[in-house]
Amino acid sequence: MIRSARIMALAVALGGMVLTLGGCNRLAARDHLNKGVEAFKSAHYEEAINHFQQATQLDPSLPMAKTYLATALAQNVVPGLTSKENLANADHSISLFQEVLDKDPSDVNSAKQIAAIYFSLNEFDKAKDWQKKVLAIDPKDAEAAYTIGVIDYTVAYKNAKDALSAAGQTDDGEGNVKAGKKVLQDIKDKNQALVDEGLQFLNQAIQNRANYDDAMVYINLVYRRKADLDFQDPNAVKTDVATAKDWASKALGARKANEEKKNAGPGGIVMDSSGNMK
């Protein structure tokens, strides 16, 4: 009976110690989280990563700690670098964002971050897949649609450039009619789906953001790639080039309007670059 009482007392004491340690760990975790945020704001990413790692270890349930750690790791990913360390940082960041998504599939920020990491590493197919997942969560995300169009143009341009270079030609941006039908058919076979998809998503970006000047610039560029594909119809080539130039002009107008809006002061007063009223 006495022995049972002692065991019970010991269990209660140990339980209290666990609760106390748990409380201390949570406090320490929050302290590391706050220090990590401050380091991140100062662009001290290595220091931020260290604090966020300690926060997640001390309190795995701490809200946002895992997201902050993944974001800090993503900031340390060097675009285009395929070193073992850089790819390890990318994989670690992606896995953490995926854990967040596993718990909350509607977390659009995590999906966007994964897409951005793959884009920075030139893994375009994966980047496009993740941008489409972003759009599945938020169909009105103009940047996701724009990025898909940018990727499609980037790949299509490389395909055209490589095919033309192999034939001793350079891209004229207006249908490359001097390249020959065999070369242009090769470009068409590789680029048709890219051009179709690129125009689809770039137009979607503009539907969701009317004055999206960067998207307009890329519509101009994709129409120049479309001109390559229409080589069997000279009138279609001329129409493509004219449409491209029209979108380039729209982009300049939208950019000017966006700059004026950005420089507008209180009450819609437009300021010049020196801060004076126009």
Side-chain angles (χ1 to χ4, degrees), residues 55-196:
T56 55
Q57 289 167 4
L58 288 165
D59 185 2
S61 66
L62 183 63
M64 298 304 293
K66 194 168 289 185
T67 299
Y68 285 144
L69 174 57
T71 303
L73 286 166
Q75 288 294 326
N76 258 9
V77 175
V78 180
L81 183 63
T82 57
S83 70
K84 188 175 180 179
E85 181 182 0
N86 198 51
L87 294 178
N89 272 339
D91 288 342
H92 189 187
S93 180
I94 289 169
S95 67
L96 288 169
F97 282 125
Q98 185 62 68
E99 286 180 30
V100 175
L101 281 166
D102 289 342
K103 290 185 178 180
D104 181 9
S106 66
D107 188 331
V108 70
N109 176 67
S110 292
K112 288 171 75 74
Q113 291 276 13
I114 292 174
I117 293 169
Y118 281 129
F119 184 86
S120 73
L121 295 176
N122 298 326
E123 294 193 41
F124 293 141
D125 286 342
K126 291 180 180 178
K128 276 206 304 184
D129 287 344
W130 276 97
Q131 292 292 7
K132 289 175 182 179
K133 291 179 182 180
V134 170
L135 288 169
I137 300 170
D138 180 7
K140 293 190 177 295
D141 192 307
E143 288 184 4
Y146 163 75
T147 304
I148 292 171
V150 170
I151 291 171
D152 284 332
Y153 168 76
T154 301
V155 177
Y157 174 72
K158 184 179 185 305
N159 290 341
K161 182 180 177 183
D162 289 348
L164 290 166
S165 178
Q169 301 280 337
T170 56
D171 178 33
D172 65 13
E174 297 193 355
N176 294 297
V177 293
K178 296 179 181 180
K181 291 184 178 180
K182 185 176 179 181
V183 174
L184 291 171
Q185 185 62 53
D186 178 42
I187 293 173
K188 182 173 182 176
D189 292 343
K190 292 177 179 176
N191 283 354
Q192 184 71 68
L194 293 167
V195 166
D196 291 344

